[in-house]
Amino acid sequence: MLDMDRIPSHVAIIMDGNGRWAKKRGLPRLAGHNAGMKSMIEIVRRSKALGLDHLTLYAFSTENWKRSAEEVSGIFKLLIRYVESELRVIMDNNVRIRILGDYSPLPKDSRAAVEKAITQTAGNTGMQLNIALNYGGRAEILRAVQHLASDAKAGRVDPEEITEESISDYLYTGRTETGCGDPELIIRTSGEERLSNFLLWQSAYSEFVFTDVLWPDFTPEEYEKCLEEYQSRDRRFGGRK
Ligand code: IPE
Ligand code: IPE
Ligand code: MG
């Protein structure tokens, strides 16, 4: 049973397995991504109902550009379609959308859809939904180092005074950006057990739950099982108990 008093504040999910889901059914990969969008909506709703403060979803990595042009543009088209059809639900749930990553290289219409989602939901005070879009942990750290170095050069930052907290603040998850900080739990679907460049700095003490379920088959019930698994863990942070 899920302990409602110990629901994590921030859960991050690597939504993997859309392609394999489609392949198993003899469908094109994009059919898998379409089914994956539907899972995403359900998981957002359940997260809000459970009282999470932040849900972070890995939607497109800096490495995903290596896929065929057809798949990449298809993913972005689906993104527009789902912003159009689901923004109402997002608004009704008082969810605020923020982006982790540099979405400027996306096609113009997809960028416009993303901006619409950010602006329309900006005043919402319920859960924050952080979508990692053209996100890579290394690219994020590189960008932080560049900002930090230029602030140091301009005399705004004293190199001696840099702390772990100040580094965290230069990341997309930092207080001046999305403010979501480190996730207590990272879930990856589809049986793969790796980070694939997700939240490298922020995952230092995250718990990991891996499930074989492919993302389009990942139901709110499967999600709650992952949260139960998380609640059974003993988090020590290097200390003794
Ligand atoms: C995850 O599913 C979605 C994205 C990476 C955009 P995949 O497309 O990676 O699915 P598999 O891993 O090929 O099954
Ligand atoms: C990670 O999945 C990225 C997203 C889920 C958006 P991938 O399918 O791209 O990762 P690899 O290639 O299996 O490591
Ligand atoms: Mg994959």
Side-chain angles (χ1 to χ4, degrees):
M1 271 290 283
L2 203 52
D3 178 351
M4 292 304 291
D5 294 328
R6 291 194 304 122
I7 297 292
S9 155
H10 180 189
V11 175
I13 308 182
I14 303 173
M15 310 183 288
D16 199 11
N18 294 349
R20 278 162 283 168
W21 182 92
K23 193 171 181 201
K24 259 179 33 184
R25 287 164 177 74
L27 296 170
R29 292 182 61 83
L30 277 173
H33 294 308
N34 187 45
M37 292 279 180
K38 294 181 188 160
S39 294
M40 191 166 119
I41 304 294
E42 291 311 309
I43 298 307
V44 170
R45 281 177 189 259
R46 183 60 60 98
S47 299
K48 168 69 193 345
L50 289 170
L52 263 72
D53 298 311
H54 288 276
L55 173 68
T56 299
L57 300 176
Y58 203 6
F60 193 86
S61 76
T62 47
E63 287 73 38
N64 287 147
W65 296 100
K66 292 177 192 165
R67 299 185 181 198
S68 72
E70 187 195 357
E71 182 173 353
V72 170
S73 70
I75 290 173
F76 294 141
K77 284 204 183 79
L78 279 173
L79 183 75
I80 302 174
R81 191 187 327 149
Y82 277 86
V83 168
E84 295 297 334
S85 66
E86 303 300 329
L87 203 50
R88 191 68 258 151
V89 180
I90 297 282
M91 290 303 291
D92 291 346
N93 279 277
N94 196 20
V95 169
R96 180 174 187 187
I97 294 181
R98 307 294 290 272
I99 304 294
L100 309 185
D102 172 17
Y103 60 90
S104 66
L106 265 60
K108 199 163 171 249
D109 49 356
S110 311
R111 244 174 22 232
V114 167
E115 264 148 25
K116 181 175 167 190
I118 297 171
T119 334
Q120 286 211 8
T121 64
N124 290 349
T125 52
M127 185 183 79
Q128 190 168 300
L129 170 60
N130 308 294
I131 304 177
L133 203 53
N134 190 26
Y135 172 89
R138 288 188 173 180
E140 178 184 40
I141 292 170
L142 168 63
R143 171 179 171 271
V145 170
Q146 283 174 335
H147 284 172
L148 199 47
S150 74
D151 282 351
K153 196 174 167 195
R156 289 189 291 269
V157 166
D158 175 356
E160 303 289 320
E161 306 275 298
I162 298 171
T163 61
E164 291 187 5
E165 286 69 30
S166 62
I167 293 176
S168 294
D169 277 340
Y170 278 86
L171 302 174
Y172 289 117
T173 49
R175 281 175 293 187
T176 50
E177 307 235 5
T178 61
C180 62
D182 303 344
E184 290 104 310
L185 168 64
I186 297 179
I187 297 170
R188 184 168 187 153
T189 58
S190 87
E192 307 297 352
E193 301 189 353
R194 57 177 168 266
L195 270 177
S196 302
N197 207 8
F198 192 44
L199 303 178
L200 298 181
W201 170 274
Q202 299 88 337
S203 60
Y205 265 104
S206 302
E207 293 297 328
F208 289 89
V209 173
F210 298 105
T211 165
D212 287 338
V213 177
L214 302 173
W215 177 251
D217 292 327
F218 192 72
T219 57
E221 290 67 39
E222 291 293 338
Y223 181 36
E224 290 200 1
K225 278 192 223 160
C226 296
L227 294 171
E228 278 177 37
E229 163 79 34
Y230 163 80
Q231 290 183 341
S232 74
R233 303 279 175 85
D234 178 15
R235 303 185 78 202
R236 292 186 290 276
F237 302 98
R240 295 186 60 207
K241 254 201 149 171

